[in-house]
Amino acid sequence: MGAEVEGVPVAALDRHAELTELVEQANWRYHVLDSPTVSDAQYDTWMRELRGIEEEHPSLRTPDSPTQKVGAPISSDFTPVAHLQRMESLDNAFNADDLASWQARAERLAERDPAPYLCELKIDGLAIALVYEKGRLVRGATRGDGRVGDDVTANVRTVAGVPHRLAGDDVPDLVEIRGEVYMPVDGFVKLNEQLVAAGKAPFANPRNSAAGSLRMKDPRITAQRPLHLIVHGVGRWEGTALPRTQSGVYERLREFGLPVSDLYKVVDDLDGINAFIEFYREHRHDPAYEIDGVVVKVDRIELQNNLGSTSRAPRWAIAYKYPPEEVNTKLLDIQVGVGRTGRVTPYGVMEPIVVAGSTVERATLHNGSEVARKGVRIGDTVVLRKAGDVIPEIVGPVVDLRDGTEREFTMPTHCPECGTALAYEKEGDADLRCPNTRACPAQLRERIFFAAGRRALDIEGLGYVAATALTQPLPPQEPPVRTEADLFDLTIERLLPIRSVVRDPDTGLPKTDPETGDPKVVAFFANQSGEPSKNAEKMLEELEKAKDQPVWRVLVALSIRHVGPPTAQAIAAEFRSIDAIAAASEEELAAVEGVGPRVAAAIRDWFEVDWHREIVDRWKAAGVRMEDEPPTDQLPQTLAGLTFVVTGTLEAFTRDEAGAALAARGGKVSSSVSKKTAFLVAGENAGSKFDKAVKLGVPILDEEGLRVLLAEGPEAAAGPAVQPEE
């Protein structure tokens, strides 16, 4: 048995002391200096471990433990002021079980059902308390340690939405308003652009920018920052009757002219709470501000009072925290990749870290201007976000952790893969491009990989490694594919000798053997006996099948700028053949629904290039279908004249298949929602197109509604539309 002090193992004492110091330092940097150096996820991990130790050894749970306090000591830069009523923190829930445990505990303590509940978004901003006397704003203070905060009255008067006097004749004699000061994401981006342009350090995230802006010594500077307020409760309330519910309080505050969110909802049970949480998990980026979870409150004020609080948090409310989308990691390098259109894109190479459920070690930085705008340097600790749980993005640097070894990134002047001088396509472009479109091996590799993808010719067996082998075999071998024109002339005899370096599908960089450090080399098209591999035979079979793909897929496979599946489907439905598309004028192309002048010009420009026309001629000679036959058993054109948009993930259809089914019945498929859209077909994770359809009043169909639409026409489908959550 290990050594103990007063019944507590020394190891537990040491870890408790270590965690206490880490949390206290994090609190000081977060609440006072407005420059946190650890992510919220790391802080939450420390606090959970600290609480776990104290639950196992209750003698360590003293009044000065971080688990028993709110926030941090106040800053010495502003006058300290006492809150009229303590500003509490919130306990956290991280899953459905935590939430159910909180609800059960509230029910037990209240000896009754605590429903209904008010659900609202947890804004990632700076907590503030505003005091109004006889309707006049007399003070604004930060949270501080929950009892005493910093007086920021002069600055808070400059915040958008903060009334200097409450509206109405029945305002309380004294009221303390609680809320969150935040900076919209768009405002944060513009502010950082201005700071970097002025040679100043950028903020790491919108929360830091809001906190730093509110604590400026000069209120005139604060007034120039795009700060906003949303109120979410009250402390002291004297002189008039307090409404009986939290939702009623919000309505009164709105009548007073205070900014109250429209995105809260009162629900009857845990199912309603979970539905609200799941909706905003999927629509996390819809609000103009950043959120990191949902706050759930017992709606009845009387029951809130009965439930009371612990030493630091109310028992009648809880914060459900979403898995962190933002973490801190080390930026080891900034490298560049070349895409199928020649665009040269810098990306960050980072120490691998888990964010939003997956390990990330690379993230795009878009272009050289974006690197400069964000003020990111090689060697920085950076804030990494996985926006929408999909695309890794570097938000910005943690400037306070710089030690002087960081270095600036400079965009290359020549293509890293073919050596051609890089250039902007036209004046004002943000992206540098490699103009060696035909011969740049990187561009060709990306185009072949794209042409074989599910959104184009759908050639199984022709993945990224195969595309690399076909276009970039090891010297002295000659590539069997020098342009797309060679794709359908491939034979086993041409494939067998090919050896290639394995490359990372995200960056195109060579993978290395972990033991030797040498590049990994594969004979992709042959097995160990030198005979054709199953993958090679499969790829050739799929290439043969791809010759019979419809015209719209062939059009997508040509990698014409701006022509994706919806646009290609609309064009193919109108012209029916590649030759007719090649012969069409810009005006004729632009007249197609969803095309327009920019896309029409890109199509005309593509067909005017001689080696592009060679691709079409060689594919045609190889037997690729270049014209869609008029259907002999044409489906009833029940959707003629109607425009549709398909978004999200469907179970029985791909989006392309759904679009093709709509087009086969005369419908036109567009990539963007407008007032002309007849229906939006929405699967899981529909995103911004769903929200725009709601805003414009466009009918929204789920997958069952799509089946009704295809089988019975628009009149039958118009009834059962998907209804959005509030």
Side-chain angles (χ1 to χ4, degrees):
M1 181 176 294
E4 296 185 351
V5 176
E6 297 182 357
V8 180
V10 170
L13 282 170
D14 290 344
R15 183 57 177 163
H16 186 272
E18 180 184 9
L19 288 169
T20 297
E21 183 176 353
L22 289 169
V23 170
E24 292 284 16
Q25 178 67 17
N27 275 335
W28 176 261
R29 297 195 69 89
Y30 187 95
H31 293 283
V32 177
L33 302 183
D34 305 317
S35 58
T37 54
V38 299
S39 65
D40 287 351
Q42 180 62 71
Y43 180 85
D44 289 339
T45 299
W46 287 340
M47 283 294 285
R48 287 199 298 274
E49 185 180 354
L50 196 59
R51 289 195 185 99
I53 293 174
E54 292 180 358
E55 287 174 6
E56 190 172 350
H57 307 289
S59 63
L60 298 179
R61 190 183 292 121
T62 60
D64 61 347
S65 169
T67 65
Q68 306 303 303
K69 296 189 293 185
V70 176
I74 61 168
S75 166
S76 59
D77 294 336
F78 294 89
T79 304
V81 291
H83 297 300
L84 302 183
Q85 188 170 310
R86 182 163 64 102
M87 290 185 72
E88 299 172 316
S89 186
L90 290 173
D91 287 334
N92 293 326
F94 296 94
N95 52 54
D97 290 342
D98 291 347
L99 203 60
S101 296
W102 168 79
Q103 190 268 353
R105 186 165 57 252
E107 185 171 357
R108 185 175 65 254
L109 291 171
E111 299 180 347
R112 61 186 292 188
D113 182 1
Y117 306 96
L118 183 142
C119 302
E120 61 191 8
L121 302 182
K122 187 175 183 296
I123 303 170
D124 196 10
L126 181 73
I128 200 79
L130 307 177
V131 177
Y132 287 86
E133 293 181 357
K134 304 294 185 182
R136 184 173 62 88
L137 177 64
V138 297
R139 192 177 74 210
T142 62
R143 178 201 297 275
D145 65 1
R147 298 183 183 277
V148 177
D150 291 330
D151 189 332
V152 290
T153 307
N155 289 5
V156 85
R157 288 179 182 275
T158 71
V159 175
V162 175
H164 294 190
R165 183 173 291 278
L166 299 181
D169 299 326
D170 60 343
V171 299
D173 295 335
L174 176 69
V175 63
E176 188 177 29
I177 306 294
R178 305 286 170 74
E180 205 81 10
V181 172
Y182 68 92
M183 187 174 290
V185 175
D186 287 348
F188 161 72
V189 170
K190 292 177 182 176
L191 174 61
N192 267 0
E193 288 176 352
Q194 295 166 0
L195 292 174
V196 171
K200 298 179 181 179
F203 288 108
N205 53 49
R207 192 271 168 195
N208 285 18
S209 64
S213 298
L214 192 62
R215 285 195 168 104
M216 299 300 297
K217 295 293 185 64
D218 187 345
R220 291 172 297 181
I221 299 178
T222 303
Q224 296 171 9
R225 303 285 173 84
L227 296 177
H228 294 261
L229 170 75
I230 285 183
V231 300
H232 53 60
V234 296
R236 187 75 61 84
W237 180 299
E238 297 178 358
T240 62
L242 181 68
R244 300 174 61 184
T245 63
Q246 187 80 26
S247 51
V249 168
Y250 286 178
E251 292 308 308
R252 286 292 299 279
L253 296 181
R254 197 190 308 277
E255 292 169 3
F256 294 159
L258 288 157
V260 179
S261 173
D262 292 325
L263 303 180
Y264 72 85
K265 185 176 184 180
V266 178
V267 300
D268 294 328
D269 50 30
L270 270 177
D271 288 343
I273 293 173
N274 287 322
F276 187 92
I277 288 170
E278 290 309 308
F279 180 82
Y280 280 104
R281 190 193 303 275
E282 296 178 8
H283 295 266
R284 183 168 177 173
H285 299 282
D286 291 0
Y289 42 82
E290 289 200 332
I291 66 171
D292 58 0
V294 167
V295 176
V296 182
K297 300 175 179 177
V298 171
D299 193 39
R300 292 196 291 259
I301 300 296
E302 178 187 8
L303 198 50
Q304 291 182 8
N305 295 334
N306 292 343
L307 288 169
S309 303
T310 65
S311 62
R312 64 182 299 277
R315 295 188 180 93
W316 47 268
I318 194 165
Y320 184 98
K321 299 289 286 287
Y322 291 132
E325 284 190 321
E326 286 191 357
V327 295
N328 291 358
T329 189
K330 197 77 169 179
L331 180 63
L332 303 176
D333 198 5
I334 297 177
Q335 300 174 353
V336 298
V338 183
R340 66 186 175 95
T341 64
R343 185 174 70 179
V344 178
T345 304
Y347 59 89
V349 179
M350 299 157 298
E351 289 182 350
I353 192 165
V354 176
V355 55
S358 62
T359 300
V360 174
E361 53 185 316
R362 287 177 172 81
T364 182
L365 282 161
H366 302 292
N367 53 55
S369 299
E370 185 79 351
V371 179
R373 181 183 69 78
K374 292 184 174 181
V376 176
R377 301 176 187 174
I378 298 169
D380 269 333
T381 296
V382 295
V383 178
L384 178 69
R385 172 193 298 154
K386 201 169 183 187
D389 295 334
V390 177
I391 304 170
E393 174 191 12
I394 293 173
V395 180
V398 183
V399 177
D400 286 351
L401 289 182
R402 284 179 174 165
D403 60 11
T405 62
E406 299 79 16
R407 64 188 192 277
E408 301 281 353
F409 166 76
T410 303
M411 280 290 289
T413 58
H414 290 73
C415 176
E417 299 220 26
C418 72
T420 304
L422 303 177
Y424 295 106
E425 190 172 57
K426 60 181 182 296
E427 186 176 351
D429 277 359
D431 298 318
L432 280 170
R433 295 182 185 272
C434 171
N436 186 19
T437 309
R438 178 174 185 174
C440 177
Q443 295 183 57
L444 177 58
R445 177 187 68 232
E446 300 299 323
R447 292 199 305 268
I448 293 297
F449 177 56
F450 175 80
R454 291 187 62 187
R455 291 163 56 84
L457 295 175
D458 195 15
I459 303 170
E460 189 177 342
L462 181 44
Y464 198 86
V465 176
T468 303
L470 291 171
T471 59
Q472 295 173 281
L474 288 178
Q477 296 164 326
E478 293 295 324
V481 174
R482 293 179 177 275
T483 75
E484 293 93 316
D486 297 322
L487 187 59
F488 288 97
D489 293 336
L490 291 172
T491 63
I492 281 292
E493 290 73 25
R494 297 189 68 190
L495 295 179
L496 286 181
I498 298 300
R499 293 175 61 79
S500 175
V501 173
V502 180
R503 293 177 178 267
D504 186 291
D506 295 325
T507 68
L509 296 176
K511 288 188 175 182
T512 57
D513 187 299
E515 295 183 0
T516 66
D518 297 329
K520 286 186 177 181
V521 177
V522 294
F524 187 82
F525 302 109
N527 59 27
Q528 293 180 345
S529 303
E531 298 172 341
S533 67
K534 291 183 179 180
N535 283 346
E537 292 174 344
K538 179 69 173 178
M539 186 183 75
L540 291 176
E541 290 174 7
E542 290 290 317
L543 277 166
E544 195 63 32
K545 286 168 55 178
K547 293 178 180 179
D548 199 38
Q549 291 283 23
V551 163
W552 74 264
R553 286 186 174 274
V554 175
L555 192 59
V556 172
L558 295 175
S559 279
I560 301 172
R561 188 84 62 85
H562 312 307
V563 179
T567 303
Q569 288 169 1
I571 294 170
E574 185 72 24
F575 294 99
R576 286 192 34 247
S577 78
I578 295 294
D579 286 344
I581 296 168
S585 67
E586 278 191 38
E587 292 74 17
E588 290 171 325
L589 291 165
V592 177
E593 176 73 25
V595 176
R598 185 179 68 154
V599 179
I603 295 171
R604 284 266 31 90
D605 290 345
W606 193 92
F607 279 103
E608 288 173 3
V609 177
D610 55 358
W611 67 271
H612 288 168
R613 294 195 300 272
E614 181 188 356
I615 296 171
V616 174
D617 292 342
R618 293 265 302 278
W619 283 11
K620 185 187 299 182
V624 176
R625 188 168 108 192
M626 294 288 166
E627 182 173 3
D628 288 336
E629 296 293 332
T632 55
D633 54 344
Q634 186 176 25
L635 293 167
Q637 300 296 283
T638 55
L639 307 182
L642 300 179
T643 301
F644 302 87
V645 175
V646 183
T647 188
T649 303
L650 302 169
E651 290 185 8
F653 302 83
T654 66
R655 286 202 294 268
D656 293 340
E657 288 169 346
L662 293 166
R665 291 157 177 81
K668 293 184 177 181
V669 181
S670 175
S671 59
S672 59
V673 177
S674 70
K675 291 182 179 179
K676 295 181 179 179
T677 304
F679 290 94
L680 174 76
V681 178
E684 294 293 325
N685 302 316
S688 60
K689 292 179 182 178
F690 183 100
D691 301 321
K692 187 171 183 180
V694 172
K695 185 177 180 180
L696 295 177
V698 172
I700 302 171
L701 299 178
D702 58 13
E703 192 160 351
E704 181 58 34
L706 171 62
R707 292 191 185 92
V708 173
L709 177 72
L710 296 174
E712 304 178 37
E715 292 79 10
V722 173
Q723 295 300 319
E725 297 270 3
E726 291 185 11

